[in-house]
Amino acid sequence: LAKTTQPISMDSYEGQEVNITCSHNNIATNDYITWYQQFPSQGPRFIIQGYKTKVTNEVASLFIPADRKSSTLSLPRVSLSDTAVYYCLVGDPRYNTDKLIFGTGTRLQVFP
Amino acid sequence: GAGVSQSPRYKVAKRGQDVALRCDPISGHVSLFWYQQALGQGPEFLTYFQNEAQLDKSGLPSDRFFAERPEGSVSTLKIQRTQQEDSAVYLCASSLGLAGSWSYNEQFFGPGTRLTVL
């Protein structure tokens, strides 16, 4: 499984766009990039997944360059409720038996 | 229920006591995972079930940890002779477990059980 590296923490203010970058230099051909979000006292929650280029959903956008050695999670106009830990994971989604490998994540603090 | 539920939400045990943590996965989900999350760290895999079969228990830290899912739905994680280093949040997750599919088997997590061993 590819190792990921992401910043330990980030601060932002309400209404700003937040970009969290994750490095995964050893990503394999069949690997997808997945981001989970975890609020205090809750389990992680899937937010977005992509393979290449750009993916957007109602929560976030995920930008993946052509070499796929990094990815950027973009949260538009954050609010206080976006304060959470964000985890970047890399793996092959074909294998439903595949355990998720979390790093320490990026702790995002949004201030008013 | 609408999501994965776990009970109890909080458990305090004296060192040496046995504890049992319960997980109710989403109905119909084939796959069930247990994770351990220490304070300030990401979740770490403990064990995996496909229906009632425990297919991977490589993450269980010692033989004091035991998990079961006898009827392929509810699962119990048991920790015998608890130690202070067992203090953590124990998370359960379930997924549809679609075999051989390119569809992502999203894991849905419960709120966790916070275990404190005194």
Side-chain angles (χ1 to χ4, degrees):
Chain A
L1 294 167
K3 178 180 168 61
T4 61
T5 303
Q6 50 184 124
I8 293 175
S9 64
M10 294 182 70
D11 292 337
S12 183
Y13 291 94
E14 282 192 293
Q16 290 189 332
E17 179 184 78
V18 171
N19 297 306
I20 305 174
T21 297
C22 178
S23 297
H24 28 79
N25 291 318
N26 298 320
I27 190 168
T29 302
N30 293 328
D31 285 344
Y32 278 62
I33 300 141
T34 309
W35 286 79
Y36 275 76
Q37 173 191 55
Q38 185 175 26
F39 297 115
S41 300
Q42 294 187 26
R45 179 178 75 126
F46 170 91
I47 46 174
I48 199 165
Q49 182 187 67
Y51 184 80
K52 61 180 179 182
T53 62
K54 176 184 174 182
V55 179
T56 297
N57 62 22
E58 65 278 5
V59 176
S61 294
L62 179 59
F63 298 91
I64 306 167
D67 66 5
R68 304 200 328 122
K69 293 184 182 299
S70 67
S71 59
T72 299
L73 175 73
S74 181
L75 305 173
R77 299 179 298 282
V78 295
S79 65
L80 294 176
S81 62
D82 291 316
T83 294
V85 179
Y86 293 82
Y87 296 97
C88 167
L89 295 85
V90 173
D92 187 338
R94 292 176 299 173
Y95 298 102
N96 66 75
T97 60
D98 208 9
K99 50 188 174 284
L100 298 178
I101 307 295
F102 292 86
T104 51
T106 297
R107 189 171 300 273
L108 173 65
Q109 179 68 55
V110 179
F111 295 96
Chain B
V4 178
S5 61
Q6 293 186 245
S7 61
R9 288 295 313 276
Y10 302 91
K11 177 70 178 177
V12 177
K14 291 184 179 178
R15 188 161 58 94
Q17 282 185 332
D18 298 348
V19 299
L21 313 179
R22 177 187 169 106
C23 172
D24 284 80
I26 294 173
S27 178
H29 277 194
V30 169
S31 299
L32 186 145
F33 301 80
W34 283 98
Y35 295 84
Q36 180 190 59
Q37 185 171 25
L39 189 64
Q41 302 296 313
E44 292 192 358
F45 170 80
L46 293 176
T47 188
Y48 160 73
F49 289 86
Q50 186 175 75
N51 294 306
E52 68 279 3
Q54 189 175 19
L55 299 186
D56 187 348
K57 51 183 181 180
S58 61
L60 295 176
S62 77
D63 58 6
R64 296 186 295 105
F65 287 70
F66 171 77
E68 60 183 5
R69 194 186 184 197
E71 297 179 357
S73 55
V74 172
S75 177
T76 303
L77 176 66
K78 298 179 179 178
I79 309 174
Q80 297 176 325
R81 304 181 303 281
T82 53
Q83 304 294 316
Q84 286 188 323
E85 62 263 28
D86 299 335
S87 295
V89 174
Y90 291 86
L91 295 162
C92 174
S94 70
S95 71
L96 279 170
L98 300 172
S101 167
W102 276 98
S103 299
Y104 180 65
N105 283 285
E106 178 183 343
Q107 291 190 22
F108 295 85
F109 283 80
T113 294
R114 180 177 296 279
L115 172 65
T116 302
V117 181
L118 303 177

